[in-house]
Amino acid sequence: MRRFFRYAFLGFTWLFLAAIVVQVYFAGLMLFGQEGGRGLHEGTGYILGTTGALFLVLPALARAGATTIVLGVVLTLITFFQPNLTFARDTSPAIAALHTVNALLIVAISVLLVRRATELVREERGAGTAATASAAR
C-alpha cells in the first residue's frame, strides 16, 4: 500500500506544480488585458487551494517522513490562504502585495515536494529490485 501512495504522491505533486505554471500563465493573461484571464486565474486559484488539502494526507500515507509531512501541511495552509491576500487590496496594498511573494513560496515548496516524492519512488523501486533479487536466489 505504501508503494501506491508514494506513486500517488509523486503524481499529485507533479500535477499540482503543472497547475501552478498554468495559474501563472492565467495571471499573465489577466495582467496583459486578455478577456477572461482574471476569471481563469481566480478559479484556478480556488481549485488549487482546495485540492492542496491532499498534501495534508498524501505525504503521511506515503510514509514520506516528518519533514515532508510538515512541508505538505505548510503548502496546504499557504495555498488555502493565498486568495485571501488579495482581499486586502483596498485597505492595505502592502499586505495584498504578499500575494505574489506567497506564490513564489508555493512554487518553491512544490518543487521541493516533487523532489522528495521522486526520491521516495526511487527508494521504493530500489527496495522492489532488492526484494526481487533476493527472492531469485
Side-chain angles (χ1 to χ4, degrees):
M1 205 60 167
R2 178 185 77 178
R3 179 183 181 107
F4 169 79
F5 285 115
R6 286 186 172 188
Y7 278 93
F9 180 44
L10 177 61
F12 183 69
T13 56
W14 271 111
L15 285 173
F16 195 82
L17 186 58
I20 292 170
V21 170
V22 171
Q23 175 70 338
V24 171
Y25 175 74
F26 291 156
L29 288 177
M30 179 179 66
L31 288 173
F32 296 108
Q34 180 69 36
E35 189 171 323
R38 182 183 185 106
L40 290 168
H41 182 72
E42 288 176 0
T44 305
Y46 286 117
I47 291 169
L48 285 169
T50 304
T51 59
L54 285 174
F55 284 116
L56 291 173
V57 295
L58 275 177
L61 292 172
R63 297 191 181 161
T67 303
T68 304
I69 291 169
V70 169
L71 285 170
V73 170
V74 169
L75 182 60
T76 299
L77 292 173
I78 65 175
T79 304
F80 181 78
F81 287 108
Q82 174 71 347
N84 296 321
L85 292 170
T86 62
F87 298 148
R89 184 177 332 165
D90 296 330
T91 57
S92 178
I95 290 175
L98 291 174
H99 182 79
T100 54
V101 174
N102 195 48
L104 291 173
L105 187 59
I106 290 169
V107 169
I109 294 174
S110 295
V111 168
L112 195 59
L113 286 175
V114 164
R115 292 181 68 190
R116 287 176 176 265
T118 301
E119 290 170 11
L120 288 172
V121 167
R122 284 185 181 146
E123 177 184 302
E124 195 64 40
R125 284 182 181 165
T129 304
T132 304
S134 67
R137 291 184 198 162

